[in-house]
C-alpha cells in the first residue's frame, strides 16, 4: 500500500498540477476509496476555466477536482462498514455532496443544502485535512457523511461512472418537470446529459422525444435515435423552432436545455413550449446573459422555467439500477478513458478543443494507457 497518493490539484484557473499527499489514517467512522474512474462533465470545464458562479459551499481553488467518482473501498472503519453496508473490496458510486449528517438537509440526503459543514467532492479546499477531497486522484477520502451505493463490479468502470449524467437526465427530463406518457419532450443539446435525458424520457414513457444538436454532433444525434429519440435535429441545417414544432406536431410540454454557452437557447425553449409547458435549464452559459427573452410569452403561455443544479439521491440510485439492467447501450456513450496525468487533456477533449474528436463521455481512470492526441 502506497504511503503517498498522487493527485491533480487545480491551483488557479487553467492550472492543474501533479502533487502527492500522505495517505490518510482511517478511523472507525470513515474510509478510503481507490478511484477506478472519475467522470467529467461540463462543470469540470467551467471549474477549470474559472467560469463558475460563486457558490457558498464551493471552493474555486486550490482543490482536487473530480465530483463524479467511482471506486473500490480500500479501507473502511467498523462503524462506516456497518452504516453503509459495504466492506473492503466493494465497488461503490459516490454522490458529489457530503454533509454534517445531523441537520435536516442531511436527513433528506441532500448534503448540498447542509446547514453546517457539508461540502462537495471536487470543490473542497485541498488544504483542509485529509486533503483527498476529489476524484482526480488515485485515492479519495470518504467522509463519514458520504452517500454511497454499491455498483456491479462487472461493468466497465468508464461506463459504470455514467450513473452521474444519467441521474441528471432522470431528474431534469422527468423528475423536475414531472414528465408522463402524455408529454412530448424536447431535449436541446446532444451531449452526455442530453443523451441521458433522452433515455430518461423514454423510461418515463414520454409520447414523443426529440433531441437537437450541431452539425458536428451527427454521431451523437444518430446515437440519440438508437437510444430512443423519435427525431434528432441538426440545428445548423434547419431553423430549430420550426423543425422541432414539425417533429413534435406543434411543440412540447417539456423542454430541457442542456446546451452549454448558448444563452439564446432559452428563447428557443420558450418558443417550443406549449401552453403550461415546463422548461428546465441545465446547461450553464459561462456567465453570458440571455438576450431579448420574450417575457410576455412566458406569461401568456403560463410557462414554468426552472433551473437545476444537482439531483435528488433517489435518481442517483435509480441511474445505477438502469445501467446495471443493461437495457441501454451505455458503452456506446463512453468515448474514452484517460490516465490521471492527462486530466487536462480530458478537459480540453470534452470541451471540443481537440480537432477531429467530439466525445460524448470521458472518464479519468488512474492507470489507463496514455492517449495520443496528435498535433
Ligand atoms: Zn458533473
Ligand atoms: Zn448537514
Amino acid at each position: 500500500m502506497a504511503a503517498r497518493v498522487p493527485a491533480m490539484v487545480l491551483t488557479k484557473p487553467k492550472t492543474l498540477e501533479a502533487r502527492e499527499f500522505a495517505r490518510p489514517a482511517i478511523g472507525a467512522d470513515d474510509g478510503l476509496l481507490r478511484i477506478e474512474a472519475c467522470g467529467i462533465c461540463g462543470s469540470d470545464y467551467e471549474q477549470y476555466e474559472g467560469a463558475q458562479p460563486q457558490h457558498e459551499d464551493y471552493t474555486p481553488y486550490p482543490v482536487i477536482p473530480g465530483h463524479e467518482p467511482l471506486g473500490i473501498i480500500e479501507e473502511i472503519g467498523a462503524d462506516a462498514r456497518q452504516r453503509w453496508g459495504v466492506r473492503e473490496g466493494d465497488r461503490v458510486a459516490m454522490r458529489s455532496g457530503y454533509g454534517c449528517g445531523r441537520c435536516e438537509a442531511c436527513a433528506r440526503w441532500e448534503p448540498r443544502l447542509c446547514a453546517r459543514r457539508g461540502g462537495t467532492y471536487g470543490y473542497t479546499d485541498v488544504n483542509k485535512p485529509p486533503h483527498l477531497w476529489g476524484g482526480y486522484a488515485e485515492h479519495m477520502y470518504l467522509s463519514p457523511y458520504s452517500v454511497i451505493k454499491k455498483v456491479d463490479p462487472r461493468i466497465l468502470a468508464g461506463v459504470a461512472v455514467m450513473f452521474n449524467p444519467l441521474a441528471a437526465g432522470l431528474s431534469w427530463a422527468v423528475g423536475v418537470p414531472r414528465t408522463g406518457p402524455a408529454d412530448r419532450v424536447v431535449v436541446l443539446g446532444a451531449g452526455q446529459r442530453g443523451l441521458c435525458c433522452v433515455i430518461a424520457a423514454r423510461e418515463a414513457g414520454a409520447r414523443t422525444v426529440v433531441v437537437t444538436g450541431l452539425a458536428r454532433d451527427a454521431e451523437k444525434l444518430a446515437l440519440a435515435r438508437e437510444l430512443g429519440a423519435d427525431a434528432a435535429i441538426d440545428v445548423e441545417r434547419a431553423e430549430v423552432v420550426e423543425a422541432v414544432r414539425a417533429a413534435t406536431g406543434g411543440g412540447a410540454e417539456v423542454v430541457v436545455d442542456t446546451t452549454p454557452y448558448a444563452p439564446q437557447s432559452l428563447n428557443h425553449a420558450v418558443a417550443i413550449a406549449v401552453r403550461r409547458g415546463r422548461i428546465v435549464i441545465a446547461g450553464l452559459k459561462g456567465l453570458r446573459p440571455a438576450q431579448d427573452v420574450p417575457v410576455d410569452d412566458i406569461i401568456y403561455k403560463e410557462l414554468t422555467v426552472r433551473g437545476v443544479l444537482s439531483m435528488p439521491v433517489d435518481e442517483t440510485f435509480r441511474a445505477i439500477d438502469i445501467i446495471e439492467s443493461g437495457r441501454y447501450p451505455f458503452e456506446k456513450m463512453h468515448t474514452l478513458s484517460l490516465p490521471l496525468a492527462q486530466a487536462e487533456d480530458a478537459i480540453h477533449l470534452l470541451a471540443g478543443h481537440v480537432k477531429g474528436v467530439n466525445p460524448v463521455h470521458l472518464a479519468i481512470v488512474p492507470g489507463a494507457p496514455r492517449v495520443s492526441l496528435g498535433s
Side-chain angles (χ1 to χ4, degrees), residues 156-188:
L156 191 72
V159 171
V161 81
M162 255 184 274
F163 71 88
N164 205 295
L166 181 59
L170 292 168
S171 176
W172 305 346
V174 177
V176 168
R178 302 196 178 285
T179 300
D183 294 324
R184 293 163 289 186
V185 178
V186 171
V187 180
L188 303 176

Side-chain angles (χ1 to χ4, degrees), residues 284-367:
L284 285 164
K285 308 307 181 195
L287 308 178
R288 292 178 214 179
Q291 309 270 327
D292 304 321
V293 176
V295 176
D296 290 356
D297 289 349
I298 297 177
I299 298 169
Y300 278 118
K301 290 205 233 176
E302 297 182 279
L303 302 180
T304 302
V305 180
R306 163 77 193 263
V308 286
L309 193 55
S310 185
M311 65 301 267
V313 70
D314 312 33
E315 264 127 10
T316 299
F317 289 0
R318 235 188 107 224
I320 293 166
D321 292 342
I322 292 173
I323 291 173
E324 288 180 338
S325 79
R327 287 202 293 281
Y328 297 91
F330 285 99
E331 65 286 350
K332 291 188 179 172
M333 289 172 62
H334 179 64
T335 312
L336 212 50
S337 294
L338 292 99
L340 191 54
Q342 282 189 284
E344 204 148 10
D345 289 339
I347 289 168
H348 287 301
L349 265 169
L350 187 73
H353 295 167
V354 179
K355 247 191 155 163
V357 194
N358 185 13
V360 179
H361 180 265
L362 297 170
I364 294 171
V365 171

Side-chain angles (χ1 to χ4, degrees), residues 100-225:
C100 75
R102 295 176 194 92
C103 71
E104 213 180 296
C106 287
R108 294 196 311 269
W109 287 16
E110 290 300 330
R112 180 188 291 280
L113 306 172
C114 171
R116 290 174 210 171
R117 51 183 174 89
T120 305
Y121 290 116
Y123 296 90
T124 299
D125 190 339
V126 74
N127 295 316
K128 176 180 163 184
H131 315 294
L132 298 171
W133 295 103
Y136 291 15
E138 289 193 3
H139 291 85
M140 198 177 91
Y141 174 67
L142 296 180
S143 146
Y145 303 106
S146 302
V147 181
I148 72 179
K149 180 172 161 49
K150 266 197 229 183
V151 179
D152 187 335
R154 290 169 299 184
I155 301 168
L156 191 72
V159 171
V161 81
M162 255 184 274
F163 71 88
N164 205 295
L166 181 59
L170 292 168
S171 176
W172 305 346
V174 177
V176 168
R178 302 196 178 285
T179 300
D183 294 324
R184 293 163 289 186
V185 178
V186 171
V187 180
L188 303 176
Q192 54 176 274
R193 277 160 217 279
L195 294 175
C196 285
C197 284
V198 168
I199 293 171
R202 269 291 154 251
E203 283 282 306
R207 173 155 62 115
T208 308
V209 182
V210 174
V211 62
T212 70
L214 303 171
R216 68 186 179 100
D217 296 328
E219 281 175 36
K220 296 180 186 179
L221 292 173
L223 182 53
R225 292 297 305 271

